[in-house]
Amino acid sequence: MQKKYRLKSSRVFNYLHKRGKTSANKWLVLVYAPSKYPIKVGFIVSKKVGKAVVRNKVRRRLREIFRALIPYLEQNCNYIIISRAQCTESSFSQLANAVATALLKANLIIKQIDEEAMAKLSLDRKLFEKTSL
């Protein structure tokens, strides 16, 4: 993911934690809030998830999933993805489906995801059949 999409400021992280809305599932928690600036995303993978190698693997996977979904998301919004301990046992496709589920639950996907992105992320088509985008 490009650096221009990364959320780095601790002030913005704190603001999102206090005032943001949440959407959660078994694997992760999505915190989001509208912004007047373009899309930014931050990832939190705590030591509860595992040691450094495991945490970095989860963080890399989440970045790649979110990078592929950026064109389909609400653009004037900031996001934080907080991983849970179940991320360590999950595959890439399970994690991608978890991110997509959290985004759909929060109504943040504004365009239909094309076939190429769905194939790349191995997304489950049943998730998108229920919603009309």
Side-chain angles (χ1 to χ4, degrees):
M1 181 168 33
Q2 296 174 347
K3 285 189 178 183
K4 69 179 183 178
Y5 295 122
R6 292 192 187 162
L7 189 60
K8 299 174 195 167
S9 170
S10 63
R11 192 175 64 168
V12 178
F13 269 97
N14 291 335
Y15 175 81
L16 284 171
H17 273 293
K18 288 180 185 174
R19 299 226 165 79
K21 297 176 185 171
T22 61
S23 175
N25 56 36
K26 180 179 168 184
W27 293 276
L28 52 93
V29 177
L30 173 71
V31 182
Y32 62 96
S35 172
K36 58 184 176 181
Y37 301 108
I39 187 171
K40 296 268 188 191
V41 63
F43 300 95
I44 298 175
V45 183
S46 73
K47 288 186 178 179
K48 292 178 185 176
V49 173
K51 298 209 180 227
V53 173
V54 175
R55 290 194 312 266
N56 286 329
K57 181 179 179 182
V58 170
R59 194 176 297 117
R60 282 193 311 269
R61 284 180 170 184
L62 288 172
R63 278 190 193 138
E64 179 59 26
I65 292 164
F66 210 85
R67 185 195 64 75
L69 293 174
I70 284 175
Y72 311 104
L73 297 177
E74 180 70 41
Q75 293 299 309
N76 291 329
C77 205
N78 288 333
Y79 304 93
I80 296 177
I81 296 181
I82 305 168
S83 66
R84 291 184 168 168
Q86 287 83 2
C87 286
T88 58
E89 294 96 28
S90 63
S91 66
F92 183 80
S93 61
Q94 286 176 327
L95 206 51
N97 284 316
V99 171
T101 303
L103 289 167
L104 282 170
K105 195 170 157 184
N107 292 325
L108 293 170
I109 297 180
I110 57 172
K111 288 193 324 190
Q112 182 67 35
I113 298 175
D114 63 358
E115 294 297 320
E116 184 180 331
M118 287 186 89
K120 180 180 180 183
L121 296 175
S122 303
L123 291 175
D124 189 11
R125 296 187 195 296
K126 294 176 188 174
L127 293 173
F128 300 98
E129 291 174 0
K130 298 174 186 174
T131 61
S132 59
L133 298 174

